[in-house]
Amino acid sequence: AGGYAALGGPPKDPDAVDGRGVTLSLTVNYLGTAREGTLKVTATRTGGGKSVAFVTIRCEDDKGNPIAEGVGTFRRFQREG
């Protein structure tokens, strides 16, 4: 989710290798345990520029309890041509 927030969403072809960028750093803090149910992950781009994006990530269970939070830094590659 963090990479997609940094890169502008998933690739158009779900079977293609996504070479639009790389993870420079990723830190995850685990806050709870999920044993069943559905998890919701939200990623938000919080800053950056042309080639680097900063993202916050939050995972919670279906009751809204926090499961994990993270921050990531991603490098986007410029398209050629």
Side-chain angles (χ1 to χ4, degrees):
Y4 288 159
L7 300 173
K12 293 180 181 173
D13 179 359
D15 295 325
V17 174
D18 193 354
R20 297 177 295 159
V22 295
T23 304
L24 298 177
S25 84
L26 182 62
T27 301
V28 179
N29 296 313
Y30 296 97
L31 308 171
T33 304
R35 300 200 189 282
E36 60 182 31
T38 303
L39 297 178
K40 176 184 173 184
V41 179
T42 305
T44 305
R45 184 173 174 212
T46 58
K50 235 179 182 182
S51 62
V52 175
F54 306 110
V55 176
T56 60
I57 306 134
R58 179 174 172 84
C59 177
E60 56 189 39
D61 65 14
D62 51 7
K63 295 177 184 168
N65 298 313
I67 302 301
E69 292 180 337
V71 292
T73 305
F74 301 87
R75 183 174 187 273
R76 295 178 304 218
F77 298 128
Q78 300 297 319
R79 290 185 179 169
E80 294 182 23

